[in-house]
Amino acid sequence: MRILLNGEPFELPDGATVGGLIERLDLAGRRVAVELNLDIVPRSQHLTTALSEGDQVEVVHAIGGG
């Protein structure tokens, strides 16, 4: 299936979840914020939130610094 990830087309297998997307992006274990179709997805729901064809996903990860 094809989604829009941070405004760019991105291919994922059917049945993918937000958690699977985060793993695929090598962001597992990092502090990330995920917005799915303009709604924030709580971290506790990443593994159970399914993605669908055409979904718009924004993933932002925190970078330390000072």
Side-chain angles (χ1 to χ4, degrees):
M1 85 177 120
R2 179 174 266 187
I3 64 169
L4 279 180
L5 174 62
N6 296 340
E8 299 291 328
F10 193 83
E11 293 287 334
L12 286 170
D14 289 341
T17 64
V18 169
L21 173 62
I22 290 170
E23 287 181 20
R24 187 166 177 158
L25 296 173
D26 292 326
L27 296 174
R30 295 190 181 179
R31 294 184 63 177
V32 297
V34 179
E35 182 181 274
L36 173 60
N37 300 322
L38 304 178
D39 291 321
I40 298 294
V41 180
R43 182 183 303 236
S44 63
Q45 296 177 14
H46 286 183
L47 294 176
T48 58
T49 301
L51 296 171
S52 301
E53 180 77 26
D55 277 348
Q56 295 182 23
V57 181
E58 297 288 328
V59 176
V60 180
H61 64 282
I63 299 174

